[in-house]
Every structure is written in C-alpha cells, then in structure tokens.
Amino acid sequence: MIKLTMAKLALNTLRHLFLIISILLSVTYAITPFVIEEQLLWESSDEGEVSTYRIPIIKQMPNGDLLAFSEARKYSSADAGAKFIAMRRSSNSGQSWGPSVFILNDYKVPDGLNLGTVLVDSITNNTMLIHTFCVHSVCNGTGQKPSGVFMVTSPDFGHSWSEPVNLGEKNPKLMDLHFDPGPGYGIQKQHPPHKGRLITCGHADGANGADERSMLCLHSDDGGVIWNISMGLAGLPYGQTKKTGDFVPGEVQIVELKNGTILANVRNTYNYHCKCRIQAMSFDGGSSFPTTSIQLKEELLDPDVCGSILNFNDDQFIFFSNAYSIVSRINLTLHWSTDAGSTYPNLLNIYGKGSGYSCLTYVDKNHIALVYEKDDIKFISYVRIQLNL
Ligand SMILES: *[C@@H]1O[C@H](CO)[C@@H](O)[C@H](O)[C@H]1NC(C)=O
Ligand SMILES: *[C@@H]1O[C@H](CO)[C@@H](O)[C@H](O)[C@H]1NC(C)=O
Ligand SMILES: *[C@@H]1O[C@H](CO)[C@@H](O)[C@H](O)[C@H]1NC(C)=O
Ligand SMILES: *[C@@H]1O[C@H](CO)[C@@H](O)[C@H](O)[C@H]1NC(C)=O
Ligand SMILES: *[C@@H]1O[C@H](CO)[C@@H](O)[C@H](O)[C@H]1NC(C)=O
C-alpha cells in the first residue's frame, strides 16, 4: 500500500515537472513584438527630380550597417520609365539615416531599371545588387539594348559600386528573358547541400512578352560571376493565356531553413485557390521546387502584392510581412511561424491604412526591421520591431 502511494506521489511529481518544463519551453517561444520606432526614408513628390519612390529593399551588411534601396521613378509612378536607384545607410540599427544617394541612373530611356535583389557573399564580403533593364519590352524599337539582367557590386558594403555588368554576357540564356529578381534580398546558402551558393529567385514573363509567367531562380557557385537559371514554379495551364484562378507564381522571396532546404514565399498573382500566399520548397539548393512541395497558406491572406520572409535564428521564427487583406493593399502586418514556416498563427498589425511592397531584415538578437510602401505609394518607411524574446 505505502509503496503504491509513494509510486503515485513520484509519478505526480514527475507530471508536475513535465508541466513546468513544457510551460517554460512554450514561454521561450512566445513573443510579444511591438513597433519600437518608425521613420520615413523617402517621399514621392510632384516637385524635384523624382516623381515616385517604390520597391523598397533592406539588407544588413556584415559590418552591421543597414542599407535601404528603392526605385526612384523620375517622371511617373509607372513600372516602366526612367529611374535612379536610391540608397540610404544607417550605421546605428536605423536610429538615424545618411542622405539618399543615387547609385544608378538610366538617363531618359523609355523603360529603364527595375529592382531587384541585394545579396552579400560572406566569403568575400562582396555586395551585389541585381536588377533588370528594359524588362517591360518598351525599349524594343527605340535602339536601346535588349532587356537584360544586370549586376553592380560593392567591395565596401555600398560605399562604392562597380559599373553595371550584363549577366547575359556569361550566360546568354539571360538575355531577353524578362526576368525580375525578387524584389527583396537574395541569399547565400549556409548549410549543405550547395553551401556557399548564391541564390536569387524572381519571376519571368517569358521571352518576347509571351504570357508565360513563372518563378525562376538564378544561382551562382563562383561568387557571382556565372549565374545559371533554374525553373522554380511554372504557371498553369502551361502555354495558355492565364485568367483569374489560374496558377501564376509571381514575385518571390526565399529563406534557407536550418536543414538546408530553401523555403520560397510567392505572390499568387491570379489568386489560385485563394487570395493568399503560395509556398514551395527546394531540397537541391534552388535547382528545383517539386510540385509536391507547393502549399497554399490560407492564413496568409494577400491582395496580390509583394511580401517578405525572414528566417530568424535558424528556424526559431520565420517572419512574414505583407499588406494583409483580401480587399486592397492596406493593413501592413507581420506574421510569424514557430514551425519552420508551416503555420503562421501569430500576428502584429503595423499599419492599417494603405501599404504596399515590404522587405524584412535581421537587426540584432532582439530586433528585426522592415521597409514598406506607406500611404499607397506616398512614402517608403522604416519600422524597427522589438521582439521581447
Ligand atoms: C567581412 O566584413 C566583416 C565586418 O566588417 C569582417 O569582420 C570580416 O573579417 C570580413 N571578411 C572578409 C573575408 O573580408
Ligand atoms: C521588337 O520585338 C519584336 C517581337 O519580339 C522583334 O521581332 C523585333 O525584332 C524587336 N525589335 C527590336 C528593334 O529589337
Ligand atoms: C552553369 O551554366 C554553364 C554554362 O552556361 C555550365 O557550363 C555549368 O555547368 C552550369 N552550372 C550548373 C551548376 O548548372
Ligand atoms: C527541412 O525542414 C522542413 C521544415 O520542417 C521540412 O518541411 C523539410 O522536409 C525538411 N527538409 C528535409 C530535406 O528533410
Ligand atoms: C487587418 O489586420 C487585422 C490583424 O492585424 C485583421 O484583424 C483585420 O481583419 C485586417 N483588416 C482587413 C480589412 O483585412
């Protein structure tokens, strides 16, 4: 009898211990992030040399500096048209920002530059800005160069930049592909397979304006000299003009999970299945994204816009930002996943009104940040978020 009671007591104590341990574990993963500061980086205006700032990108350099980039559209808000690429730098986690500088200028061409992805090769510290030229075909017939994928590089974290290099010179398949990288940041694989590989995904509308939008990836195993193309996700039904409800993968951002798998979060351009995000995975360093890995993330509602994804601390959190609405581009919201991007049950509302494209970055072990198009395309704003880990 006594022995039995003792055993029961021991069992109960064990049960309590388990309970306490599991509460402690869940506490470690529960965060209550909040916006700690917001600053406007660019403002669109009817006066001056820039009409509209769009397509914000942010990326932390290995020395801790944050670089923010945007398209500075000279004469109108249209995607096509002449542009500068604007950049600002912060060396104190975004508390203050240096002046806006134009690092690229396409003069007065009818189409011009478009962003684009930013990558850093941590082996060499070489920073790369990949962008396109004449991607909307409007340069056709004007004597301008054919559309192409270009890259400028910086040896000093964005203080100086090279002349643009046409990536089609080393891989002619990139010529006239009408490929739009990202927009956002690209990655370098930190785990096998293909550790060290540089990868940037985007979408292409098919050569010569064919209606064949698909998600493609470029990858380089030689530090960014030769970029090979791989098919990410093809649009369906293949070879036919697409209509609402068809599968048309568009703008994309990728992260690497700690097991070396690449997770892509993709704009669902024609609202296939739902007004929500598409996710897919690659198990071979971005060479292929098996159709069996495709998932429609119904909790990540999306009005058909560019979103952003960030792997924080080797799968501890996968963050996702977008204009979280099925009605229009409003309601910038941060979601996060604690199961490597499988489910996104948690959210933080950042701005209820007009919000467009966004891009996330790591800041430090208790902060992330994002840049986003605010009040439709009036401002590009920087937001720093404290995680309270
Ligand atoms: C890259 O930059 C970081 C930060 O400035 C520095 O610590 C590191 O040594 C650099 N690596 C190389 C290969 O230059
Ligand atoms: C413009 O595009 C059309 C169709 O893609 C092509 O046949 C033509 O050669 C192009 N013209 C120039 C000047 O590139
Ligand atoms: C990349 O493309 C080049 C030719 O364009 C080819 O020689 C090389 O094998 C390709 N590399 C990979 C990893 O596919
Ligand atoms: C890597 O982890 C993800 C998320 O848990 C999983 O879906 C994927 O199958 C894993 N990859 C491999 C190669 O096991
Ligand atoms: C905006 O986001 C909040 C969550 O942050 C959600 O409850 C609300 O329904 C969203 N509004 C619209 C119009 O989608």
Side-chain angles (χ1 to χ4, degrees), residues 23-189:
I23 286 170
L24 277 177
L25 277 177
S26 66
V27 162
T28 327
Y29 279 91
I31 45 169
T32 50
F34 67 92
V35 172
I36 189 163
E37 71 170 337
E38 171 153 18
Q39 279 186 52
L40 302 176
L41 297 186
W42 285 287
E43 177 174 2
S44 301
S45 156
D46 295 336
E47 289 145 36
E49 54 187 343
V50 176
S51 149
T52 309
Y53 290 93
R54 280 211 62 194
I55 324 294
I57 298 176
I58 190 166
K59 172 89 185 150
Q60 190 183 51
M61 297 293 110
N63 69 352
D65 283 5
L66 292 174
L67 296 187
F69 301 85
S70 66
E71 289 181 6
R73 301 180 172 186
K74 295 181 195 172
Y75 307 118
S76 82
S77 63
D79 291 343
K83 301 172 197 79
F84 303 100
I85 301 299
M87 187 190 90
R88 292 187 72 172
R89 172 191 307 275
S90 172
S91 300
N92 55 12
S93 303
Q95 289 165 60
S96 62
W97 290 85
S100 176
V101 292
F102 297 140
I103 61 166
L104 280 169
N105 179 1
D106 60 13
Y107 305 101
K108 288 191 169 186
V109 295
D111 193 346
L113 302 163
N114 283 95
L115 288 176
T117 45
V118 178
L119 300 89
V120 184
D121 183 341
S122 62
I123 300 157
T124 59
N125 276 347
N126 200 25
T127 305
M128 290 157 250
L129 175 72
I130 300 183
H131 56 281
T132 61
F133 184 73
C134 287
V135 78
H136 305 96
S137 317
V138 208
C139 295
N140 179 317
T142 62
Q144 298 290 342
K145 290 178 256 181
S147 107
V149 187
F150 287 75
M151 179 170 85
V152 286
T153 57
S154 171
D156 50 12
F157 305 136
H159 288 285
S160 64
W161 293 93
S162 72
E163 286 297 306
V165 174
N166 185 344
L167 300 182
E169 282 168 17
K170 289 275 169 32
N171 180 358
K173 288 182 188 144
L174 284 168
M175 299 272 199
D176 255 347
L177 185 67
H178 296 258
F179 177 74
D180 280 290
Y185 60 88
I187 65 164
Q188 180 174 47
K189 289 218 67 222

Side-chain angles (χ1 to χ4, degrees), residues 324-327 330-331 333 347-350:
Y324 175 61
S325 162
I326 56 169
V327 183
I330 55 168
N331 219 20
T333 298
L347 61 79
L348 168 72
N349 194 247
I350 291 174

